[in-house]
Amino acid sequence: MATIYDVAERAGVSLATVSRVMNKNTNVGEKTKQKVLAAMAELDYRPNTFAQSLASNSSNSIGVLVSQLDGPYYGPMMAEIESALRATNKHVIIAVGHSVAEQEIDSVEFLLGRGCDALILDVEAVSDEYLIELSQGATPIVLINRYISDISDRCIYLDNELGGYLATRHVLELGHRDIAYVSGPKRKHDAVERLEGHKKALAEFDVPYKASLCVEGDYKEDGGVVAMEQLLDSAQRFTAVVCANDQMVSGAISVCLERGLKVPGDLSFVGYDNIPFARYISPKLTTVNNPIHEMGKMAALWLLKNIYKNDQLEVTNVFVPELVVRGSARRPGNK
Amino acid sequence: MATIYDVAERAGVSLATVSRVMNKNTNVGEKTKQKVLAAMAELDYRPNTFAQSLASNSSNSIGVLVSQLDGPYYGPMMAEIESALRATNKHVIIAVGHSVAEQEIDSVEFLLGRGCDALILDVEAVSDEYLIELSQGATPIVLINRYISDISDRCIYLDNELGGYLATRHVLELGHRDIAYVSGPKRKHDAVERLEGHKKALAEFDVPYKASLCVEGDYKEDGGVVAMEQLLDSAQRFTAVVCANDQMVSGAISVCLERGLKVPGDLSFVGYDNIPFARYISPKLTTVNNPIHEMGKMAALWLLKNIYKNDQLEVTNVFVPELVVRGSARRPGNK
DNA sequence: GACTTATGGCTACCATTTACGACGTTGCAG
DNA sequence: CTGCAACGTCGTAAATGGTAGCCATAAGTC
């Protein structure tokens, strides 16, 4: 592999000049620049990234820590991050935290140890304090899906409470009054925020919140199954179910269909996230759109702007969810 | 940040000894070893990865190139790769090829330029020749989802033809004789292999293959929608539809339901891949299991074994698909 | 006393970046 | 017209933080 020395020799210049040609084009004469470029091409020279990183103390790599890689949620986000970053020749190192504090911290250390220039974090278990302290370290971080007021400018997040509100308001407006709610795990921030929105909507319509109609799921399909069985077996009256994400809705609906209940004839459903499958399951899901891929892209842009000093980039921190009305919810008693 | 020199000084030993402690534990006394370890802990010393990479010319990083990041398919694979590799302190750099030859090659170059120790590739557009040549380069590669006889030991793949065969045989055994097939894009290897299996099953049951009953989709939900509409509008008779993947099944079923057709009453469906959602959509999908996550894990193990010389690891190259019978296919005429 | 084991001390090497300084040219003021 | 400062252009050499190999030395073992 050709080194910068070879290029310098071939071009008849010093290695510093070659380096200058590669980096900032400042102060290098046009003629020599062409000579150097020609020499690089002839030798098929590629700078050694290791040496570059060592000397410049920057790796052009971004660590991305997500909670999980499978599931319909993080793929689109990762895809956006990758493409935005790659376009500027940065690369992405991934790690998974599994929503467990210890593993999240471990992953952060891992990424830091790898010399990432910055971190994009989607973490749930770790404390606000930890993140605040981390943000004061040498390596910049940006948070996806989480809002911490002390470092709000580094947070890219969705207004989850509004989303929860919109979902429940929709069924209220359709006329439902007995509404069950399948929450995400209460230890997750977005789960409690969505639930808050739900309560807010109920209050607005003067419908009392009943704890017995709210069951905690795990954000997975199985969680929806279990929650729905529990709800149905409790023999409580309800005509609509709002779920904190689409995966749980699909699990819940599958239980209903198995028991011969019609959806949305007997029971209306509203989901959350608008995952790709939401429009292909039957009935098509009425849900709240979660622009997770845009948030991923925005996180990448934030970095480009703040770390690599690429200005003229507009960054939005907070995203607003929107209701997507499809076929899984309708008026009560309308069979 | 503390350097190896600081550690040596603090521990009162030489730099060489520190290096010995970190790498191979050869010939270093227990007492001094403890001193060094203590000094490292006190100084919170972490070896500078850039310098390590430069000096050793190995980065402990693996490049993973997939076709896409969204969709239900690659997430589980990536998850397995990440966890297997991380357990041994390697890290994963991702890139996306989008099934376009130019982008795939570009991504390979990108990964190579990043100094990856090895590459895991899931590529579709690039030629066999390119991959064979690549495999002879300095950086080892392993292929997922593709079989090339010249480099078969570096291929981790599924017997797609068998899978296609199993899917179609299932509906044949149920009594169907008029069977439509929604293929994946013909430019993809697995798509043509699956179709081959389909034809083989037909032949075995003496059912002639009709090209008019076979339409090409794009492996996405929308492709299933379009294909199904085309099939239905063609006014041909068929009682079962075999789709080359689950995403297209879900699109196809949604069309049927919209048109008032009962599934599986009027039309039976069999899918392929057994994506997580397959069991939660209604009806639950009968499909062919594709152990993609195991294949990801196996690719990682292959690397550990072959690159990092971690022996005593068993590697399987070819995986066999299995039929998963659920509720989307039943006897014809059984309403 | 020969042999082994543990350790230190050097040095070469890896491929860059970057601070510093040298050199020649230019423009402007005296 | 000349002297000098400023500037653009380039080279030199010192970091950067490790790895790895060699040889010397010391201590312990049979």
Side-chain angles (χ1 to χ4, degrees), chain A residues 83-148:
Chain A
S83 79
L85 253 22
R86 172 99 96 81
T88 57
N89 222 37
K90 319 289 175 213
H91 72 267
V92 175
I93 299 179
I94 59 168
V96 182
H98 297 113
S99 304
V100 175
E102 197 182 326
Q103 289 186 51
E104 289 182 350
I105 292 175
D106 203 58
S107 296
V108 168
E109 303 281 324
F110 176 77
L111 259 12
L112 253 20
R114 287 294 169 178
C116 294
D117 290 347
L119 265 32
I120 296 179
L121 306 177
D122 183 314
V123 288
E124 293 164 329
V126 116
S127 71
D128 283 6
E129 290 68 37
Y130 173 81
L131 291 169
I132 292 170
E133 196 184 325
L134 187 63
S135 75
Q136 287 156 354
T139 307
I141 64 170
V142 36
L143 265 29
I144 287 195
N145 255 325
R146 182 149 171 175
Y147 175 75
I148 299 177

Side-chain angles (χ1 to χ4, degrees), chain B residues 12-14 16-17 20 27-29 32 54-55:
Chain B
V13 301
S14 80
T17 305
R20 275 187 273 253
N27 297 345
V28 40
T32 36
L54 179 61

Side-chain angles (χ1 to χ4, degrees), chain B residues 65-171:
Chain B
L65 172 54
V66 294
S67 296
Q68 54 166 164
L69 239 18
D70 43 358
Y73 195 77
Y74 292 99
M77 187 179 101
M78 297 288 302
E80 290 289 345
I81 294 176
E82 194 269 348
S83 80
L85 254 22
R86 173 100 96 80
T88 56
N89 221 38
K90 319 287 175 218
H91 72 266
V92 174
I93 299 179
I94 59 167
V96 182
H98 297 113
S99 305
V100 175
E102 197 182 330
Q103 288 185 53
E104 290 181 349
I105 292 175
D106 203 58
S107 296
V108 168
E109 302 281 324
F110 176 77
L111 259 13
L112 252 20
R114 287 296 169 178
C116 294
D117 290 347
L119 264 32
I120 295 178
L121 306 177
D122 184 311
V123 288
E124 294 165 328
V126 116
S127 71
D128 283 5
E129 289 68 37
Y130 173 81
L131 291 170
I132 292 170
E133 195 184 326
L134 188 62
S135 75
Q136 287 158 353
T139 308
I141 64 170
V142 37
L143 264 29
I144 289 195
N145 255 325
R146 181 151 172 174
Y147 175 75
I148 299 178
S149 57
D150 296 36
I151 48 174
S152 59
D153 62 315
R154 316 173 92 93
C155 299
I156 310 283
Y157 59 99
L158 181 71
D159 188 340
N160 276 300
E161 185 177 323
L162 175 58
Y165 169 79
L166 290 175
T168 299
R169 194 182 69 178
H170 178 62
V171 289

